[in-house]
Amino acid sequence: MKKDNHDGLLRILEKANQSILKELGEGMQEYWKISPRWVDEILNVLDKIYQNPVYKESHPDPTEEFLHLEDTLMAAAVERWSFIEHNGEDGNKDDLSRLLVIADKLNTELSTLANRRFPEPLFEILSIPSVVMSRQMPYFALEMDNWVSCPESNTAPIDITFDLYRQVLSLSQLYDRYGPKEKVSVFKVESWFLLQVTRWLRQTKEATKTWVINAINQDKFQRLNETVSHSSSVVDLFAMFNQAVDFIAELRWPNELQFCLFETFLSKIIGEGVENYCSTMEERIRHDIFPNEIDGQLDLHEASYLDKARYQLIGGRGLSNESLVPADYTPDLCVKLNNFEAVRERLDRLYPVMHGDYVAQYMRERLDHQTQYKPDNNNFLYSIKVVRAENLKSMDANGLSDPYVTFEIDGRQIVRTRTIYETLNPRWDQAFDIWRSERIVDVLAVVNDEDVFTADEECGTCWFKLAPDYFDDYQTHELKLDLSPQGTLILRISMEGEKNDIQFWYGKAFRTLKGTEKDVVGWMIDKITSYIRYCLSRQVITRILGREKGFFSSFSWTDAPDVQLSIQECEAALTPLLDFLEKNLKILNDNLTDANLRFVVLKIWTQILRTVDEFILPPLSEYLSDVRPLDEYELHIVFKWLELLKILFNGGEDGDAIPLESLENPRYFKLLAINAAYHLSTKKLIEYYQAEITTCASANVAIQADRSKSIYHSEHTVPDSSSKQPATNGRTHPIDLPDCDAILRILRLRHDRAAINFLHKEFSRRNDPSNTVVFEQKPLYGMPFNDNISTDSFEQDHLDTPTSPTMRPISPFSPPPQVLRETKIFQTGKN
């Protein structure tokens, strides 16, 4: 009886199991519809059957039959795929749109199945999402392969393509998480969409210039608010950059190396965008500062021969005083200058967002060489910008020169700049491209003075080298070259090429910004330089002392008496300049950032010091000057003016503007030293000069001398590892005196035999090629300029680090083995 009951119960349980499994199987044929609650109820009934001792005794592994449901589920998944694929087809839809519909449907259905309906396997052995994905995903992958192989995929709309990418990436993540344990490599996301990301990057690169122009065109160049000193174009520019950076980041690209390549190429786009912004802004600012002139000069290139001659003879001195007064600085000019600083700061913040350090390091570890593009081994393209020159030799009777620059290779002229008239500190800002096939090229730079009636004369010369060994970091290097016999020439040189390195592009962007800022500030100073020179001139001193001579005064038997001026009268004579500076310093103070304000104001102060130096002393030359030396009273007025200007720049009684320690710089103390020595006897000056020579020689310090010395020992040619600056405590004179060049300039004012003989002897000694005693030795060229680098920033960490692996011990400023041409080192001085 018991056995019959046992067998009967077993049969009932088995039939119930079969019936329930059949019902579950039928439900699985529409797995996307069945209710999880219904499935749970069935599983609870099955669990009670399987846990029954009678059933368990006969079926030790009761879930084995449960696995048969997998075949039913796989067949249902294939049938469901056919339905989804068929519904995705539409006569009006292209393949891309059809794939997008299919991917969206799969994503919706599978994510619901895996995340909400059946996140856990049935009885821990049958995972509905896993079985479904194992059948459907290969079909979808095949559809993707077919689309990628079609030519239409290369021109598909970018926005729809990346909608598909996001759907595919989501499917890939679902498959990785819920797919079968033994997965087949189904999702080839990198190969499917690599071309599309490349297309997007190229389109972004092509659109960047237009974006930059639009941002500038829409900018009114007004401060955004009281606390933000830049204008809207900076915000718009970085809205574009940040959008592009976010786009790449949100791709969540599965291949790390390819992702780093995307970030690097995007940094190139950003760097070129910054370069376009700088060049466009430069052009507009230049037009703002010099609206009717070229570089602050009259445009004489189209003038007649007679007009050029007249201008060279009298320059702009026939103009009225009112026409000399430059236009005031404007708030929008200040905002434009602030924009460069704002771009630099935002670029600094964007670098860590792009994981710059990680990207650079990752690629360096996995790529053999970081150079993405470089010129053909047999051809090298150099870009040379002739920026400006300083302290040139005076060549004209007016105490100035009309300089232009030429470059010569093997005695042949290859480059000529325009002429800048009436200046010893010209600014050209002209760029030239030079193709060379030689690996090392010696270039002679000659600064010439243009003359109408006579042949042009040389103001100064220097040598530099063009070679890939010096410029293969493809960055822009600012070079400061000593001219012979005097002066400095500033060039910016780069070689065409680029590196597949995010730090390369960020470094290039930072250097572009710094160079643009320096150029803009230089133009701002050039704008007011002529007026500063007019106000701080011998003409003004002569006028206020009543020493001006008219036509009939030549017949007078008596000289006009000297006028003794009080400090108030000295200030009154300087009032036009003080008023102009005070008004413009306020404009700068109200509109510039603190950093820009300090930079610009100190540049103006430096120009004032340079102007004072130029009109109290003639330029350096072997010959006596025709300029009359200032008497003690005139010199006293000059330094009263200087003190008044120093008080203005310091902030008056409050002293809350530029600190005195910044105003009283080496150039300022040099002027004080000139004042102390100005009226010393010729004998004393010669003694102090010889003492200085002895001190420098004993310290083994080099001095800038003649052309041969500046050619063979330019600023960046001779290492200074063994050099020492001359110790001031080695001097024997009780007062600070000017340097040797300044003493020679003072001696040019002494019309006595001792001064004439000493000048001739000293310059003969300097021109002697065997003479090796020189005054000022400067460090070996090694790195591009990186002044004013912000701390804790990309600039601090990377801008002063070369992208090339090693520092080369040689210099691009060494001279050629043989001098290519013979010229006199010191030309005849006229002033």
Side-chain angles (χ1 to χ4, degrees):
M1 184 66 183
K2 289 183 178 180
K3 188 176 185 305
D4 291 340
N5 291 338
H6 179 276
D7 292 342
L9 178 60
L10 179 59
R11 284 193 295 274
I12 293 171
L13 292 174
E14 288 175 344
K15 287 182 179 180
N17 179 55
Q18 292 174 0
S19 177
I20 293 172
L21 287 176
K22 181 180 179 182
E23 183 179 2
L24 183 60
E26 291 174 352
M28 288 296 177
Q29 290 179 3
E30 294 184 334
Y31 61 87
W32 61 93
K33 288 184 179 179
I34 57 176
S35 168
R37 180 177 296 180
W38 177 77
V39 173
D40 287 342
E41 291 174 354
I42 289 180
L43 293 180
N44 286 335
V45 175
L46 289 175
D47 186 58
K48 290 179 180 179
I49 293 174
Y50 296 157
Q51 294 301 323
N52 188 285
V54 175
Y55 190 88
K56 199 171 185 178
E57 181 182 356
S58 300
H59 301 275
D61 187 10
T63 57
E64 183 177 352
E65 297 179 11
F66 191 77
L67 291 174
H68 294 165
L69 291 172
E70 184 174 339
D71 295 335
T72 303
L73 187 58
M74 291 173 67
V78 173
E79 186 176 346
R80 181 61 178 169
W81 164 259
S82 299
F83 175 80
I84 293 174
E85 183 184 25
H86 178 73
N87 280 1
E89 294 179 356
D90 189 330
N92 297 325
K93 291 181 180 177
D94 55 23
D95 289 342
L96 177 59
S97 300
R98 184 178 67 85
L99 269 177
L100 184 60
V101 171
I102 293 174
D104 180 62
K105 183 64 177 176
L106 284 177
N107 250 317
T108 303
E109 197 166 280
L110 293 176
S111 61
T112 301
L113 199 66
N115 295 321
R116 295 173 56 189
R117 290 179 176 273
F118 305 106
E120 300 296 333
L122 306 184
F123 280 126
E124 299 183 353
I125 59 173
L126 179 61
S127 171
I128 294 177
S130 175
V131 174
V132 173
M133 290 182 192
S134 68
R135 302 304 295 170
Q136 293 182 348
M137 292 306 187
Y139 289 115
F140 178 76
L142 183 60
E143 290 288 333
M144 286 297 303
D145 287 337
N146 292 336
W147 175 72
V148 171
S149 63
C150 291
E152 290 79 7
S153 65
N154 298 332
T155 57
I158 285 289
D159 53 345
I160 300 177
T161 300
F162 281 102
D163 287 341
L164 176 61
Y165 169 80
R166 295 180 187 93
Q167 294 288 350
V168 171
L169 187 64
S170 179
L171 285 173
S172 175
Q173 292 169 345
L174 280 172
Y175 185 72
D176 289 341
R177 183 174 179 182
Y178 297 106
K181 292 182 180 179
E182 297 180 0
K183 295 181 176 64
V184 180
S185 180
V186 173
F187 284 87
K188 299 172 284 186
V189 177
E190 299 96 314
S191 62
W192 290 340
F193 291 97
L194 179 60
L195 176 63
Q196 308 305 327
V197 178
T198 304
R199 284 179 58 213
W200 178 85
L201 288 169
R202 287 174 179 168
Q203 289 183 9
T204 302
K205 183 177 186 296
E206 292 169 359
T208 298
K209 188 170 185 178
T210 302
W211 291 349
V212 170
I213 297 299
N214 289 339
I216 294 175
N217 287 340
Q218 296 170 12
D219 196 347
K220 296 181 179 179
F221 298 105
Q222 299 173 353
R223 296 174 62 136
L224 293 177
N225 52 54
E226 291 298 323
T227 59
V228 178
S229 57
H230 58 263
S231 61
S232 63
S233 61
V234 177
V235 177
D236 294 342
L237 184 68
F238 276 85
M240 297 178 251
F241 291 163
N242 286 318
Q243 183 180 2
V245 171
D246 291 342
F247 178 86
I248 292 295
E250 290 168 0
L251 289 179
R252 295 173 293 170
W253 193 259
N255 185 299
E256 191 72 4
L257 180 58
Q258 290 177 353
F259 173 77
C260 290
L261 286 168
F262 298 159
E263 292 282 78
T264 301
F265 193 85
L266 185 56
S267 70
K268 174 183 179 180
I269 295 173
I270 292 171
E272 291 179 346
V274 170
E275 186 174 359
N276 288 333
Y277 184 82
C278 289
S279 61
T280 306
M281 290 288 289
E282 267 190 334
E283 183 178 346
R284 297 191 177 208
I285 293 171
R286 194 183 191 96
H287 178 73
D288 291 344
I289 294 177
F290 309 116
N292 301 314
E293 299 174 323
I294 299 178
D295 303 322
Q297 307 268 332
L298 295 179
D299 186 6
L300 298 182
H301 298 286
E302 303 299 328
S304 67
Y305 186 86
L306 184 60
D307 289 337
K308 289 184 179 182
R310 182 187 298 113
Y311 189 81
Q312 286 196 337
L313 287 173
I314 68 172
R317 291 183 295 280
L319 303 174
S320 64
N321 296 349
E322 290 76 12
S323 64
L324 286 173
V325 181
D328 295 327
Y329 294 134
T330 58
D332 67 296
L333 175 61
C334 297
V335 170
K336 289 172 184 175
L337 182 58
N338 291 339
N339 282 358
F340 298 118
E341 181 182 347
V343 170
R344 195 170 68 248
E345 291 174 351
R346 286 176 176 245
L347 199 64
D348 203 34
R349 293 198 295 268
L350 189 61
Y351 179 77
V353 173
M354 295 183 69
H355 312 288
D357 287 342
Y358 169 78
V359 169
Q361 186 63 30
Y362 189 92
M363 291 185 61
R364 287 169 186 166
E365 291 174 353
R366 286 159 180 79
L367 297 181
D368 294 334
H369 200 278
Q370 295 300 303
T371 301
Q372 179 185 26
Y373 165 76
K374 59 182 179 181
D376 188 279
N377 288 335
N378 297 322
N379 291 282
F380 306 98
L381 175 59
Y382 300 93
S383 177
I384 304 179
K385 183 174 184 178
V386 184
V387 182
R388 67 185 189 277
E390 297 175 350
N391 191 33
L392 293 179
K393 181 180 179 182
S394 169
M395 303 299 295
D396 293 336
N398 57 10
L400 301 171
S401 295
D402 305 312
Y404 65 91
V405 178
T406 61
F407 292 158
E408 298 179 13
I409 296 179
D410 295 334
R412 182 174 62 88
Q413 179 178 309
I414 60 170
V415 161
R416 185 195 192 281
T417 69
R418 61 178 171 268
T419 302
I420 306 298
Y421 294 93
E422 281 204 317
T423 180
L424 298 180
N425 300 283
R427 175 178 288 273
W428 294 279
D429 285 319
Q430 281 188 271
F432 304 92
D433 289 335
I434 299 177
W435 280 99
R436 304 305 301 176
S437 58
E438 308 94 324
R439 290 197 62 84
I440 299 179
V441 182
D442 298 304
V443 183
L444 176 65
V446 183
V447 182
N448 295 286
D449 171 60
E450 181 181 281
D451 286 317
V452 175
F453 300 109
T454 60
D456 295 352
E457 297 177 286
E458 290 184 3
C459 293
T461 58
C462 65
W463 289 97
F464 65 94
K465 288 181 183 291
L466 295 177
D469 290 342
Y470 305 133
F471 300 104
D472 63 359
D473 61 356
Y474 309 120
Q475 296 285 7
T476 299
H477 298 249
E478 181 162 298
L479 316 180
K480 194 172 183 181
L481 306 177
D482 288 338
L483 293 169
S484 171
Q486 73 178 66
T488 304
L489 179 65
I490 291 88
L491 307 177
R492 291 186 190 144
I493 303 179
S494 62
M495 188 174 75
E496 182 190 29
E498 61 189 50
K499 286 179 177 292
N500 208 3
D501 188 329
I502 190 171
Q503 291 178 355
F504 168 83
W505 291 108
Y506 267 85
K508 188 171 185 178
F510 279 117
R511 286 177 171 86
T512 300
L513 285 164
K514 289 299 296 180
T516 301
E517 285 180 294
K518 292 171 72 174
D519 288 345
V520 170
V521 173
W523 298 336
M524 292 174 68
I525 305 307
D526 291 346
K527 176 180 180 178
I528 65 173
T529 295
S530 295
Y531 187 59
I532 292 174
R533 285 176 175 160
Y534 169 77
C535 294
L536 301 176
S537 65
R538 291 172 177 261
Q539 297 169 260
V540 175
I541 291 180
T542 301
R543 187 179 70 250
I544 64 176
L545 291 178
R547 297 177 179 177
E548 285 184 309
K549 293 186 178 181
F551 176 78
F552 293 103
S553 63
S554 302
F555 301 97
S556 175
W557 293 95
T558 60
D559 293 332
D562 285 342
V563 179
Q564 300 297 319
L565 299 180
S566 65
I567 186 67
Q568 290 78 15
E569 290 172 314
C570 286
E571 183 175 358
L574 201 60
T575 295
L577 180 59
L578 292 173
D579 289 345
F580 175 80
L581 289 175
E582 188 171 9
K583 180 180 180 181
N584 282 272
L585 290 176
K586 185 178 187 308
I587 294 172
L588 298 177
N589 182 70
D590 292 344
N591 295 281
L592 287 179
T593 63
D594 290 343
N596 281 333
L597 175 65
R598 180 181 177 86
F599 185 54
V600 174
V601 172
L602 285 178
K603 285 289 186 180
I604 297 174
W605 175 247
T606 299
Q607 182 57 51
I608 289 173
L609 297 178
R610 177 181 291 155
T611 301
V612 172
D613 175 86
E614 289 173 354
F615 92 77
I616 65 175
L617 286 183
L620 187 65
S621 173
E622 176 181 358
Y623 302 95
L624 297 183
S625 173
D626 295 333
V627 174
R628 178 184 61 82
L630 299 176
D631 61 33
E632 291 187 3
Y633 193 67
E634 291 172 323
L635 197 63
H636 180 64
I637 293 175
V638 171
F639 282 91
K640 277 186 178 180
W641 283 352
L642 188 60
E643 290 305 305
L644 288 171
L645 289 166
K646 185 176 73 171
I647 292 171
L648 173 66
F649 279 75
N650 183 234
E653 294 180 357
D654 296 332
D656 55 356
I658 303 298
L660 282 177
E661 54 267 25
S662 298
L663 297 173
E664 295 177 346
N665 55 27
R667 190 183 289 271
Y668 173 83
F669 283 112
K670 178 183 176 181
L671 285 176
L672 297 187
I674 291 173
N675 184 29
Y678 198 84
H679 290 103
L680 289 178
S681 67
T682 300
K683 179 180 179 181
K684 281 291 185 184
L685 288 173
I686 293 174
E687 289 176 359
Y688 291 140
Y689 182 92
Q690 292 171 336
E692 185 72 16
I693 286 285
T694 303
T695 302
C696 292
S698 63
N700 192 27
V701 178
I703 176 178
Q704 174 193 355
D706 56 295
R707 171 175 177 170
S708 61
K709 293 308 171 208
S710 66
I711 291 174
Y712 288 92
H713 301 282
S714 66
E715 175 181 1
H716 305 292
T717 301
V718 185
D720 66 339
S721 57
S722 61
S723 301
K724 299 178 181 178
Q725 296 296 328
T728 56
N729 56 12
R731 295 174 177 169
T732 58
H733 46 77
I735 59 174
D736 288 333
L737 290 175
D739 59 33
C740 290
D741 283 355
I743 292 176
L744 292 178
R745 293 169 65 194
I746 296 173
L747 288 174
R748 288 194 64 204
L749 299 170
R750 307 300 172 83
H751 287 247
D752 55 55
R753 178 55 55 184
I756 295 173
N757 292 339
F758 184 78
L759 284 170
H760 178 74
K761 176 182 176 182
E762 177 56 24
F763 279 98
S764 297
R765 185 187 66 81
R766 285 192 175 199
N767 291 340
D768 182 1
S770 64
N771 173 40
T772 59
V773 179
V774 290
F775 264 91
E776 182 186 356
Q777 179 164 326
K778 300 180 181 179
L780 172 67
Y781 167 79
M783 291 303 305
F785 73 94
N786 61 339
D787 45 346
N788 297 329
I789 306 302
S790 59
T791 57
D792 299 325
S793 66
F794 174 86
E795 290 180 275
Q796 179 69 30
D797 296 335
H798 305 286
L799 193 55
D800 56 356
T801 303
T803 53
S804 52
T806 57
M807 177 76 71
R808 293 174 292 276
I810 52 180
S811 164
F813 309 100
S814 302
Q818 296 179 347
V819 178
L820 299 181
R821 49 188 273 177
E822 296 292 336
T823 52
K824 281 189 65 177
I825 293 170
F826 283 90
Q827 306 291 340
T828 302
K830 295 186 178 68
N831 200 40

